[in-house]
Amino acid sequence: MDQLADLSKGDLPGAVEKARELHERGGPEVVRIRRSFVRLEKFAGLVEDERKPLPRSERPLSAQMISPRGLTLKLYLLVLFAAQCETTAGKEWPTPYPIEPTAEQTDSWRGLVATTARYAGPGVQAASVRTNKVRQIAEAMKTLEKMGLLASATGVKGQVRKGVLLLCENGKSKNAGAANIPYTVPADNEPFVEIPVGFFTNGWVHVLTTSEIAALLMWFDVIKFDPSPRVIEDGSTIKEGYVRSDVRHGFYGLGRDAYETHQPLEAFGLLDVLRHSKRHNDGKWQNFKDDNSDMAAHRVILQTAAFGREAGPTVLPVLHRRHITGEWRRPLQ
């Protein structure tokens, strides 16, 4: 809660304004992300129990990026957002932004990313904060380079501050040697998940944790590619989704901690969760039994319109209520 309050007073408004500026140049209504970034192409096998998930290196790239204070996943999604504001389906983005703005290029990752970089020692405070933020972005880019998602524009590994080239989000460039696979905006005939543009232009990418973001990507995928349509009283159809624990581990690489983010995501209004009567709110069976039955799984409905709200003012009251009561609840209307 304190970190979000600091973010709201610091980088968040400027980063949101910059995202909106980019989008107003002709950006898409949804940002496309290739399915292979979110879900393994082949089932990785069963895990022994919830405490022993897949090794990190065997998970989808999105799940590999989960980290309590990590910037890598958020930065990469912002990179894809910016690329799709600058070019169209099937096209490459030849000149991604530099980390810091220049006289020739005022768009930069420093302007688009929101962090809580702080004063780290003696000297000019503003310069120290900027230096620390640039360092965080550069380290995240080096991680993306190691994962085969970016390449240094100079051709020398680690020189990301001098510019980068985007590589395909399936990560296969990591094992392609010199034959990197350039990033192109996913075409209509490719399998991709769709993120509402409000995720970026209203600051959700900065406000949510990486576990919450990775889980959201899973729900976007499940509800697009494996939905459970349900007819409601007025005759219209809504799409629900559910995921069993074996699928969650074996395809999405997400453990129980990530799965339980359905509680804050529901409290933020991004999901509606329909709970089976035999499950507790956290998703565990009564008597703590594990079960992969389809009937036992929570059903989830995505509320994509909720991304049209500003993230900071939506999330802060929920976190405040959580701090006081210990419960995940939507704010009182």
Side-chain angles (χ1 to χ4, degrees):
M1 184 172 68
D2 292 341
Q3 185 177 4
L4 177 54
D6 290 344
L7 198 66
S8 297
K9 295 174 184 176
D11 272 0
L12 184 58
V16 167
E17 182 180 356
K18 189 64 183 179
R20 290 174 179 174
E21 177 191 328
L22 295 183
H23 186 255
E24 286 171 0
R25 299 175 191 173
E29 290 309 306
V30 294
V31 173
R32 298 177 172 187
I33 300 180
R34 286 181 173 84
R35 196 182 190 198
S36 54
F37 178 72
V38 176
R39 189 182 193 273
L40 295 175
E41 295 177 2
K42 295 181 180 179
F43 184 64
L46 298 172
V47 298
E48 294 182 23
D49 59 49
E50 289 282 3
R51 294 167 294 181
K52 297 179 180 179
L54 287 177
R56 184 174 291 270
S57 62
E58 297 178 16
R59 303 172 194 172
L61 292 171
S62 58
Q64 291 182 34
M65 296 181 191
I66 294 175
S67 175
R69 291 183 176 271
L71 184 63
T72 306
L73 178 57
K74 298 182 179 190
L75 174 63
Y76 189 62
L77 294 178
L78 284 164
V79 168
L80 299 184
F81 162 74
Q84 294 182 39
C85 288
E86 296 284 356
T87 190
T88 55
K91 303 294 185 181
E92 296 182 33
W93 186 21
T95 54
Y97 304 145
I99 292 180
E100 295 198 83
T102 66
E104 296 78 23
Q105 174 57 280
T106 57
D107 299 322
S108 70
W109 301 120
R110 181 161 69 84
L112 197 56
V113 169
T115 72
T116 52
R118 297 176 182 272
Y119 173 56
V124 180
Q125 180 169 343
S128 297
V129 170
R130 185 189 72 231
T131 299
N132 193 30
K133 181 176 180 179
V134 169
R135 178 191 59 78
Q136 290 181 40
I137 295 171
E139 289 303 313
M141 284 191 164
K142 289 178 183 178
T143 300
L144 292 171
E145 183 182 31
K146 292 176 183 177
M147 298 176 79
L149 298 172
L150 295 179
S152 169
T154 66
V156 179
K157 288 186 177 181
Q159 291 189 351
V160 293
R161 294 187 187 224
K162 297 184 178 181
V164 296
L165 301 174
L166 303 191
L167 306 179
C168 183
E169 68 263 51
N170 61 16
K172 292 183 179 180
S173 292
K174 181 178 180 180
N175 301 316
N180 287 327
I181 306 167
Y183 172 80
T184 57
V185 178
D188 293 346
N189 61 350
E190 296 184 75
F192 54 80
V193 297
E194 298 166 287
I195 302 181
V197 74
F199 178 80
F200 302 96
T201 58
N202 285 315
W204 292 97
V205 64
H206 308 294
V207 168
L208 298 178
T209 67
T210 52
S211 289
E212 290 163 354
I213 292 171
L216 259 182
L217 292 174
M218 176 186 73
W219 291 121
F220 282 125
D221 183 84
V222 167
I223 291 176
K224 178 174 182 178
F225 290 100
D226 191 22
S228 299
R230 179 166 61 93
V231 178
I232 56 179
E233 290 182 359
D234 64 2
S236 60
T237 301
I238 58 175
K239 291 182 179 180
E240 302 173 355
Y242 69 90
V243 60
R244 303 192 314 261
S245 63
D246 58 336
V247 172
R248 170 166 48 84
H249 279 290
F251 279 112
Y252 297 99
L254 299 180
R256 178 163 292 281
D257 288 348
Y259 177 70
E260 290 177 1
T261 62
H262 69 265
Q263 296 178 81
L265 293 174
E266 181 182 31
F268 302 153
L270 303 178
L271 303 178
D272 285 339
V273 181
L274 311 176
R275 293 169 172 81
H276 192 281
S277 61
K278 291 185 178 181
R279 281 195 182 270
H280 297 285
N281 284 343
D282 63 5
K284 295 178 181 177
W285 269 115
Q286 293 177 15
N287 302 321
F288 303 100
K289 293 180 180 178
D290 184 28
D291 195 304
N292 278 319
S293 167
D294 293 355
M295 295 299 294
H298 286 346
R299 259 59 176 175
V300 165
I301 301 170
L302 276 166
Q303 296 297 333
T304 53
F307 292 98
R309 297 174 296 161
E310 289 196 39
T314 301
V315 169
L316 265 174
V318 175
L319 297 183
H320 181 69
R321 184 182 180 95
R322 166 74 172 175
H323 179 70
I324 294 173
T325 68
E327 298 178 337
W328 287 113
R329 302 262 183 189
R330 294 182 182 179
L332 298 174
Q333 301 296 322

